Amino acid sequence: MFYIAAADVKALYPSLCRDTATKALECALEKHSNFNTNAQKIIVKLNEICLNNVVTQYGDQLYTQKNGIVTGDNHSVSLANIAIHYILQPIAGVLREAAIFRRFIDDIIWIATSKLSNENIRQALTSAFANSGLKLTFRQACTADKEGEVEFLDVNHCIITDDVFGFVTKDFVKPTAEGRQFINGKSHHPLSTFKSILFGEAIRLKRLNQRKEDYLCSLNRLKEKAIRSNFPLDMTNDMIAMASNWAERLRAQKAKRKMTHKFGLHLFPT
């Protein structure tokens, strides 16, 4: 029996206390850098100046943000990543109760093998983030329930009874991404650009979809997206047909050399 749970921080960037961000940066520089004490203080001070003096223009008006950190600013993602790591450090022992625990900035997922360890992790996370003035939202599914799903970024963990682990992975499309398009196929790009897009997307879908039937459904959605984007139809059909025959999930596709020769793609070696 597995408990699959995911957590997101509510409005991380505007809610993150600047004092917490500063302390996290000080801790990171002290433990994980070779800068001397004076250099560390200079970096921390520069960070404070940047946070306090970011100017945003909306229409004809200029604004400065007094609380939190500015979403999309040059170093906001790095600072948020450091801050979340700092928040999690005191509960590292509890987090080790998970069979798997992973984080991408403020998106967290873990798999626990018992109800007790799952609740311990959930309560520890809630408390740790609350101490820094942050709130979490949780999503959870258990293989014992024989139904349910938990999405994490572009991966969906779906409970299914006929799998040895009780769940499989599929690709996940956010509701806000439905109907989206690639760059227009009628734009002045070389044909290899559109082929590379389909090739890269097909590899991503192959790795995310554990079962072949789910992968083939995802390829059909990829084909529809390419058609909406005005990709050349013959090229799209050829690429989808080739990708549908791939066998490997987590290794470089064996068809890579053949495709490179056939379609003239110039791809980075793995």
Side-chain angles (χ1 to χ4, degrees):
M1 182 172 63
F2 294 104
Y3 288 84
I4 307 169
D8 297 323
V9 182
K10 279 185 168 183
L12 171 63
Y13 293 94
S15 303
L16 181 61
C17 177
R18 292 185 179 180
D19 183 56
T20 300
T22 299
K23 290 179 180 178
L25 183 57
E26 290 174 342
C27 180
L29 289 170
E30 181 182 349
K31 292 184 177 181
H32 306 291
S33 80
N34 294 323
F35 293 113
N36 59 40
T37 303
N38 288 334
Q40 293 177 23
K41 291 179 179 179
I42 291 171
I43 293 173
V44 171
K45 187 62 178 179
L46 284 173
N47 178 71
E48 292 177 353
I49 293 172
C50 290
L51 289 178
N52 294 329
N53 292 278
V54 174
V55 177
T56 304
Q57 182 175 1
Y58 180 75
D60 296 330
Q61 300 296 318
L62 299 177
Y63 301 88
T64 57
Q65 187 168 315
K66 295 181 178 180
N67 300 311
I69 58 180
V70 178
T71 305
D73 194 28
N74 291 333
H75 68 312
S76 290
V77 173
S78 297
L79 196 58
N81 192 32
I82 292 171
I84 299 299
H85 180 79
Y86 174 78
I87 291 171
L88 293 179
Q89 283 304 294
I91 60 169
V94 179
L95 301 182
R96 292 191 183 96
E97 293 184 21
I100 294 176
F101 184 91
R102 295 291 183 270
R103 177 182 67 85
F104 183 78
I105 314 297
D106 60 327
D107 293 293
I108 297 170
I109 189 169
W110 72 88
I111 298 177
T113 55
S114 72
K115 183 177 181 180
L116 178 60
S117 60
N118 182 59
E119 286 302 314
N120 287 342
I121 295 168
R122 181 167 178 155
Q123 291 176 14
L125 286 170
T126 300
S127 177
F129 280 91
N131 290 337
S132 296
L134 299 170
K135 296 181 180 180
L136 296 174
T137 57
F138 293 95
R139 305 179 299 280
Q140 179 178 302
C142 179
T143 55
D145 297 334
K146 301 184 179 181
E147 62 179 10
E149 57 186 30
V150 175
E151 84 278 358
F152 177 72
L153 302 177
D154 60 348
V155 187
N156 203 11
H157 303 75
C158 303
I159 304 301
I160 188 169
T161 56
D162 59 355
D163 184 80
V164 64
F165 292 108
F167 71 94
V168 296
T169 59
K170 304 178 183 179
D171 70 298
F172 177 73
V173 181
K174 292 184 178 181
T176 53
E178 293 180 359
R180 294 289 181 91
Q181 300 181 15
F182 296 121
I183 59 173
N184 197 300
K186 294 182 179 180
S187 60
H188 296 286
H189 288 82
L191 189 62
S192 60
T193 299
F194 310 116
K195 295 173 182 175
S196 295
I197 291 173
L198 292 178
F199 182 75
E201 281 293 297
I203 287 180
R204 183 180 70 86
L205 295 174
K206 184 65 176 174
R207 289 172 174 171
L208 295 182
N209 286 281
Q210 186 172 330
R211 299 183 304 180
K212 185 174 182 178
E213 57 266 35
D214 297 325
Y215 171 58
L216 295 178
C217 289
S218 296
L219 281 183
N220 285 331
R221 293 200 307 271
L222 176 61
K223 179 179 178 179
E224 292 171 358
K225 186 175 181 180
I227 293 174
R228 286 198 307 272
S229 305
N230 295 314
F231 279 24
L233 185 59
D234 289 342
M235 179 272 294
T236 299
N237 288 333
D238 287 343
M239 295 291 290
I240 296 300
M242 178 194 64
S244 65
N245 293 318
W246 286 344
E248 299 287 350
R249 273 194 67 225
L250 302 177
R251 298 184 179 90
Q253 302 304 328
K254 293 181 180 179
K256 186 172 183 178
R257 290 185 179 178
K258 181 179 179 182
M259 192 203 70
T260 304
H261 174 73
K262 179 178 179 180
F263 295 112
L265 293 180
H266 302 285
L267 303 170
F268 293 106
T270 54

